[in-house]
Amino acid sequence: IPNFKYLEIGTFEGRSALFVSEFNNCEKIVCVDPYIDYNEIESDDFKMSDVFESVNQKFKQVQNKNIKLIREKSDDFFLKNKETFDVIYIDGYHKYEYVKRDFVNSMNCIKKDGILICDDFLWFEYEKLEENPIGAILECYENYKKDLQILFISNQIIFCKN
């Protein structure tokens, strides 16, 4: 994809965005993460606000790239967003209802022939299968399968929007 625009939902330490920033044809990177403490990280001395500051500093050191770090929940971002993207990477909160909303919202702002990557497809931390990302992703795929082509399945599932 020439001069692509990349959206990342759930940035955490910023490693994926930093990797994408190394592509010469990456025109813009938008990262959305509220950086609030949540139950998927089990440590008393771990603070998401510290992670946010660290990522913010890393992004500022990247030269000649348009990287925007937005500290808010993905639902709030999508309500205001007017842009479309060529590549969207979903790795936000892993609960079913959040994954489903991120998927549906992403489908509304991904370009034709765009790439949608859902991380943690095979992540099974919650007791019921349907509470995990796979439940939401498979349900969304069923609803959008006429508009999607599966390109890859492993721990991630990658789609191309027709």
Side-chain angles (χ1 to χ4, degrees), residues 120-132:
D120 300 311
F121 182 61
L122 300 178
W123 189 89
F124 301 104
E125 292 297 315
Y126 301 119
E127 192 173 312
K128 295 180 183 173
L129 177 69
E130 61 273 10
E131 291 177 351
N132 290 284

Side-chain angles (χ1 to χ4, degrees), residues 57 86 135 139 159:
Q57 291 307 311
D86 301 288
E139 181 182 322
F159 304 98

Side-chain angles (χ1 to χ4, degrees), residues 2-27:
N3 299 326
F4 70 94
K5 293 195 316 185
Y6 174 82
L7 171 64
E8 183 169 281
I9 303 300
T11 299
F12 192 46
E13 294 176 324
R15 289 183 292 205
S16 300
L18 290 169
F19 173 76
V20 169
S21 76
E22 294 180 14
F23 289 94
N24 291 332
N25 62 334
C26 179
E27 179 181 307

